[in-house]
Amino acid sequence: MATAVRQRPAALILTPTAHARIAALMARAPEGAIGVKLSTPKRGCSGLAYSVDYVTEAKPFDERIDTPGGTLFVDGGSILYLIGSTMDWVEDDFTAGFVFQNPNAKGACGCGESFTV
């Protein structure tokens, strides 16, 4: 009897505007970049912040999410803080950036720069 393998759902949900932004970033990526990486370094007054950077190599425990415009890697040490989150790209008259709806976040600082789990 053959074992059925089902596709694992992505740990992070990307909106269409997030997909488009990743495609735009990869269209002007520096030479050698294989994708962009989302991580949650310790920063800010609440403890953790979201950071998106170009990467040139995949680390063994990074989560890989293939999008139509390029690859998004999620830092292996950050994945537990991000499971079930939605990543969106929002632009208005004053700001532009990735915005996260994170069900794991228990609080955030007043300026919105960092969060706690």
Side-chain angles (χ1 to χ4, degrees):
M1 175 182 256
T3 302
V5 178
R6 64 184 172 129
Q7 186 173 359
R8 183 175 62 165
L12 186 69
I13 300 162
L14 280 77
T15 66
T17 54
H19 282 281
R21 183 59 183 172
I22 290 170
L25 288 170
M26 290 310 297
R28 58 183 176 92
E31 187 175 330
I34 62 168
V36 293
K37 184 174 186 174
L38 171 62
S39 60
T40 57
K42 294 181 189 298
R43 184 170 60 211
C45 43
S46 286
L48 299 171
Y50 301 104
S51 179
V52 179
D53 301 290
Y54 290 110
V55 291
T56 56
E57 66 176 323
K59 302 289 184 188
F61 293 105
D62 287 350
E63 181 80 13
R64 180 187 176 118
I65 301 172
D66 292 313
T67 75
T71 304
L72 172 69
F73 294 93
V74 181
D75 177 65
S78 301
I79 195 70
L80 290 177
Y81 306 131
L82 299 169
I83 291 175
S85 296
T86 299
M87 181 178 177
D88 193 12
W89 176 261
V90 176
E91 291 184 41
D92 63 26
D93 290 340
F94 302 103
T95 61
F98 286 109
V99 176
F100 298 87
Q101 298 297 320
N102 187 342
N104 307 299
K106 302 299 181 213
C109 65
C111 66
E113 178 69 24
S114 61
F115 69 100
T116 186
V117 291

